[in-house]
Amino acid sequence: MRASVTTLYELKLQGLSVTMVMKSSVDDDDAGWGLGIPEKMRNNVNWVDVTHEFKGACKELNLGELLHDKLFGLFEAMSAIEMMDPKMDAGMIGNQVNRKVLNFEQAVKDNAIKVRDLSLPELIGIIDTCFCCLITWLEGHSLAQTVFTCLYVHSPDLIEDPALKAFALGILKVCDIAREKVNKAAVFEEEDFQAMTYGFKMANNVTDLRVTGMLKDVEEELQRKVKSTRSRQGEQRNPEVELEHQQFLALFNRIKFIRLLLTALIAFTKKETNSVGEAQKLMAQAADLLSAIHSSIQYGIQSQNDTTKGDHPIMMGFEPLVNQRLLPPTFPRYAKIIKREDMVVYFSKLIERIKTVCDTTFLIDNKKVFGTHLMQDMIKDALRCFLSPPVLSSKCCLFNNPQAKEYIDSFVTHCSRLEPQRQHLACLGTWILTCSAAFELELYSMHEYYYIYWYLSEFLYAWLMSTLSRAESSQMAEERIAEEQQKGRSSKKAKKKKKVRPLSKEIAMSQAYQNMCAGMYKVRYEHRFAPFNSVVTPPPVHYIQFKEMSDLKKYNPPPGSSDLYLAASKHFQQAKLILENVSTPDPEVNRILKVAKPNMVVMKLLAGGHKRENKVLPEFDFTAHKYFPLVKII
């Protein structure tokens, strides 16, 4: 089977460097191979037809091969693919519409949009579409192509409708706080989040307290109208009044939701210890509104489809092309605004993520874990539990030594400092979670399992076990010293207690993980482990080292497939034995056992020659455990 190949060649013709983009197919006719060169260029340059040579060269390329100049890399290839494609090149949208594009002031002057006396369906529709634009921005698109396609947020001061004005200011404040938090964390890539505001004002002239107050005033007014239109017992209901009641209720829920979301984000900037609990309560209240918002989507005006294929909302107050001239010179991604039906699902997941942040996160603004504990104190407690260093013990003579305290405080402060260039607290954890999480995210191809599991087994888990063993030795040494001091003070003979190894379970689990990885087992390798190159401990293993360490030819005689299957079976058996000896097995232990036992049997069968002639590749099933698959032979 032969496929068409799109290739960029840089040809040197008569001393002139000419760049050509050609489509070739070894099965196509010669027709259509013209270069499409303008007549003016034909007259000034002596062109040579290289069609025959070009097609001959293409026949030598195998499927999937690409010939390119050293100056033509991945970025240039992606740009070439994106350009002129309406789904990738946002600039192409302007060629598909015939209407006049108006900004906010022009639209108000031409009466194209209202700034006062908006109907309830109009307010509901505008708010829902703004929510969809907000979500699309959070998903990685630019503010210019999402939130600021809503003309009302360009100049909220000119809006006379109190509900719409308060909502527009609220949306801008939510965007500004979210942008500030993400920028401060500095752990995102450009394709994940775009913080540029393109010169738009983010309602900085209005305080957060003022905006939440305006939203609260509108909310209370709407609540009065909801109560006044509510049906009374025994009263015959007028359909128009009932519809108005439902519309007031829908608008009330949306204004309350944006107020709760904004207030929760503001709470994260407070330094009070109860701010985290306050944010949790607000998010719980916001979650309760989502079902009502979802059931009332139909009450808002709907966007109209036009020549932009319905990917952008075309309705009063929205113009997808208004910021076209503000987009960067590189080809921006085409932004497809999410549908209103998907809005509630996203907000539900967002609220759950914010709740998780409240439960587990170290908050930068107040420098406290869970909003109450200083990060430095948490690190010292973790060091005491893990290593029992004498300098952190009140019984040690160095505990109150000024110079020792200065060194300890400097170390702990360095550990707790979140610097953008580091992005991770390497000193507080290992990279095992990073490698393992990629299985859950399905980032690895099947052919990569070999060296990923090798790296985990032979390197990371080996390093982790060494660290745990040293820490355990340090702890037990401190315990012995403490016991000897206690004996010297007391004349009574102390009963001998059976010593419990403090890190025995952690070491056992690491050994089991290492054996599970061992049983599972130039450019691709380097790319996968490039994030670890900047980490000093553990030191990175380069591809050449990996090849040398995993080369089977260094053994005499080299092991065959049966030997490798048998070795894998033994590793799975060792993991099984270690886990079965864990005194209080938790769900994680049981999950690994469900993988270790079947894999041990499968490896034994393969070692004995089972299905040796079978050419079908094995299947890796991650349903039992998210990191370690069941090996299935079809």
Side-chain angles (χ1 to χ4, degrees):
M1 175 181 175
R2 291 172 177 171
S4 295
V5 182
T6 301
T7 314
L8 184 109
Y9 279 82
E10 186 174 276
L11 304 176
K12 303 292 183 180
L13 300 177
Q14 297 184 354
L16 298 174
S17 177
V18 182
T19 302
M20 301 179 182
V21 178
M22 296 181 174
K23 287 184 178 179
S24 71
S25 174
V26 292
D27 294 331
D28 291 344
D29 297 332
D30 289 343
W33 275 82
L35 298 178
I37 301 167
E39 191 65 30
K40 184 178 180 180
M41 290 182 66
R42 286 180 183 273
N43 297 333
N44 295 335
V45 180
N46 183 18
W47 292 92
V48 177
D49 186 3
V50 294
T51 303
H52 181 72
E53 290 82 357
F54 180 77
K55 292 183 71 174
C58 286
K59 290 180 180 179
E60 298 178 12
L61 291 174
N62 295 322
L63 181 64
E65 286 186 331
L66 173 68
L67 179 66
H68 65 88
D69 186 83
K70 63 181 180 180
L71 299 177
F72 182 77
L74 178 61
F75 178 79
E76 290 78 12
M78 290 301 297
S79 298
I81 293 168
E82 290 175 359
M83 189 169 65
M84 308 298 288
D85 180 359
K87 283 293 181 184
M88 300 298 288
D89 184 358
M92 290 299 294
I93 308 174
N95 301 329
Q96 302 178 14
V97 296
N98 299 317
R99 67 177 183 275
K100 184 180 179 182
V101 177
L102 303 174
N103 61 27
F104 182 64
E105 288 77 10
Q106 292 170 339
V108 172
K109 185 177 180 181
D110 292 357
N111 294 320
I113 62 174
K114 299 179 184 177
V115 292
R116 69 173 76 88
D117 301 327
L118 281 84
S119 66
L120 290 172
E122 288 172 339
L123 288 170
I124 295 169
I126 291 169
I127 289 173
D128 282 350
T129 307
C130 264
F131 278 146
C132 293
C133 291
L134 171 67
I135 292 169
T136 308
W137 171 60
L138 292 173
E139 286 289 274
H141 293 278
S142 67
L143 278 169
Q145 292 174 282
T146 55
V147 176
F148 285 114
T149 59
C150 177
L151 301 179
Y152 287 110
V153 299
H154 290 204
S155 300
D157 294 338
L158 300 180
I159 303 173
E160 298 180 24
D161 185 280
L164 186 57
K165 181 175 183 177
F167 176 81
L169 289 170
I171 278 285
L172 288 174
K173 286 293 184 183
V174 167
C175 291
D176 195 37
I177 294 174
R179 189 178 61 86
E180 178 196 359
K181 295 296 181 188
V182 177
N183 273 335
K184 186 176 286 187
V187 290
F188 64 93
E189 300 294 341
E190 186 179 357
E191 63 269 20
D192 300 326
F193 185 79
Q194 297 189 39
M196 188 181 295
T197 60
Y198 300 93
F200 285 104
K201 297 176 182 177
M202 305 299 289
N204 295 325
N205 58 328
V206 187
T207 63
D208 297 342
L209 186 62
R210 173 61 179 153
V211 174
T212 54
M214 292 171 65
L215 287 167
K216 186 65 176 176
D217 292 342
V218 172
E219 185 183 325
E220 291 174 351
E221 178 62 26
L222 289 171
Q223 191 171 27
R224 285 193 288 270
K225 291 182 179 180
V226 168
K227 290 180 179 179
S228 66
T229 55
R230 184 180 298 162
S231 61
R232 293 171 178 80
Q233 190 174 6
E235 180 185 11
Q236 188 175 358
R237 194 62 170 160
N238 186 328
E240 293 183 2
V241 177
E242 177 63 26
L243 176 62
E244 187 181 29
H245 170 74
Q246 294 297 332
Q247 290 173 346
F248 273 126
L249 185 60
L251 183 58
F252 166 79
N253 288 330
R254 284 157 174 79
I255 294 295
K256 185 176 181 180
F257 180 83
I258 190 66
R259 180 183 65 82
L260 291 172
L261 179 60
L262 175 59
T263 310
L265 292 177
I266 292 172
F268 286 129
T269 64
K270 295 179 180 178
K271 296 185 178 180
E272 291 80 4
T273 56
N274 62 346
S275 59
V276 178
E278 179 188 346
Q280 284 179 312
K281 291 178 182 178
L282 292 167
M283 285 295 93
Q285 294 176 37
D288 294 338
L289 297 173
L290 291 178
S291 60
I293 292 174
H294 186 266
S295 62
S296 59
I297 289 175
Q298 73 275 11
Y299 294 124
I301 57 172
Q302 304 298 313
S303 58
Q304 303 297 319
N305 291 346
D306 70 345
T307 50
T308 58
K309 303 177 182 178
D311 292 342
H312 281 266
I314 304 301
M315 57 184 289
M316 185 182 71
F318 290 85
E319 177 50 74
L321 302 179
V322 69
N323 302 317
Q324 206 66 20
R325 295 182 181 276
L326 297 178
L327 296 177
T330 55
F331 302 109
R333 285 187 297 166
Y334 179 82
K336 182 176 181 179
I337 307 299
I338 72 161
K339 296 179 180 179
R340 296 184 189 181
E341 291 75 16
D342 301 327
M343 169 185 70
V344 173
V345 177
Y346 182 92
F347 275 136
S348 178
K349 293 179 180 178
L350 176 65
I351 288 172
E352 289 303 316
R353 290 197 294 269
I354 293 176
K355 287 181 179 178
T356 303
V357 167
C358 293
D359 289 335
T360 61
T361 297
F362 159 50
L363 302 177
I364 298 172
D365 284 324
N366 61 12
K367 305 293 184 187
K368 294 182 179 180
V369 181
F370 310 123
T372 56
H373 305 291
L374 283 172
M375 186 64 170
Q376 290 87 335
D377 293 340
M378 295 288 287
I379 294 173
K380 287 181 180 179
D381 289 340
L383 288 170
R384 287 190 187 98
C385 293
F386 187 65
L387 278 174
S388 298
V391 73
L392 291 180
S393 173
S394 57
K395 298 177 181 179
C396 178
C397 60
L398 291 174
F399 184 73
N400 293 316
N401 184 286
Q403 192 172 5
K405 290 185 73 173
E406 182 182 349
Y407 288 147
I408 289 293
D409 291 341
S410 175
F411 170 76
V412 171
T413 302
H414 179 73
C415 289
S416 63
R417 186 179 299 133
L418 288 174
E419 298 175 3
Q421 63 269 25
R422 286 169 58 203
Q423 297 191 358
H424 297 283
L425 288 174
C427 54
L428 299 181
T430 72
W431 293 107
I432 292 173
L433 180 61
T434 306
C435 285
S436 302
F439 284 107
E440 191 175 356
L441 298 173
E442 299 180 358
L443 299 182
Y444 298 138
S445 299
M446 191 182 294
H447 71 273
E448 295 182 284
Y449 291 170
Y450 166 61
Y451 56 72
I452 295 296
Y453 282 120
W454 176 89
Y455 188 81
L456 284 166
S457 172
E458 301 295 326
F459 192 66
L460 287 184
Y461 277 117
W463 173 80
L464 178 61
M465 283 195 299
S466 173
T467 303
L468 289 171
S469 298
R470 291 198 306 270
E472 187 178 57
S473 300
S474 175
Q475 284 195 24
M476 297 185 77
E478 286 299 313
E479 288 179 6
R480 283 195 297 270
I481 293 172
E483 287 176 2
E484 290 173 1
Q485 291 176 346
Q486 188 69 25
K487 285 180 181 178
R489 293 173 187 171
S490 176
S491 58
K492 295 181 180 180
K493 291 185 178 180
K495 293 182 180 179
K496 289 186 177 181
K497 295 181 180 179
K498 186 179 179 181
K499 292 184 178 180
V500 179
R501 294 174 59 194
L503 298 174
S504 58
K505 185 173 181 179
E506 287 82 354
I507 292 174
M509 290 300 295
S510 297
Q511 287 176 330
Y513 283 133
Q514 184 188 34
N515 280 282
M516 290 296 293
C517 292
M520 296 292 180
Y521 47 84
K522 171 177 170 181
V523 175
R524 193 69 177 166
Y525 179 94
E526 296 289 358
H527 172 72
R528 278 299 182 194
F529 297 112
F532 307 127
N533 289 339
S534 59
V535 182
V536 177
T537 304
V541 176
H542 297 288
Y543 183 69
I544 296 175
Q545 294 174 274
F546 161 69
K547 290 293 289 182
E548 291 175 353
M549 296 170 72
S550 60
D551 188 7
L552 298 177
K553 294 179 181 178
K554 64 183 180 181
Y555 299 101
N556 189 20
S561 57
S562 297
D563 300 320
L564 295 176
Y565 287 137
L566 188 60
S569 175
K570 290 179 179 178
H571 281 298
F572 286 126
Q573 185 178 21
Q574 184 68 18
K576 171 178 165 291
L577 293 173
I578 292 170
L579 294 173
E580 286 176 343
N581 289 327
V582 174
S583 56
T584 54
D586 54 22
E588 172 68 6
V589 171
N590 295 326
R591 281 193 294 267
I592 303 176
L593 281 171
K594 288 180 181 179
V595 177
K597 291 177 181 178
N599 283 358
M600 178 186 70
V601 175
V602 170
M603 293 300 116
K604 279 186 178 179
L605 290 172
L606 291 174
H610 180 67
K611 290 195 175 183
R612 183 170 293 174
E613 304 301 324
N614 190 2
K615 301 297 182 184
V616 180
L617 293 174
E619 289 185 359
F620 295 92
D621 183 5
F622 285 91
T623 55
H625 196 281
K626 55 188 176 183
Y627 303 149
F628 305 112
L630 285 165
V631 181
K632 294 183 176 181
I633 306 299
I634 307 300

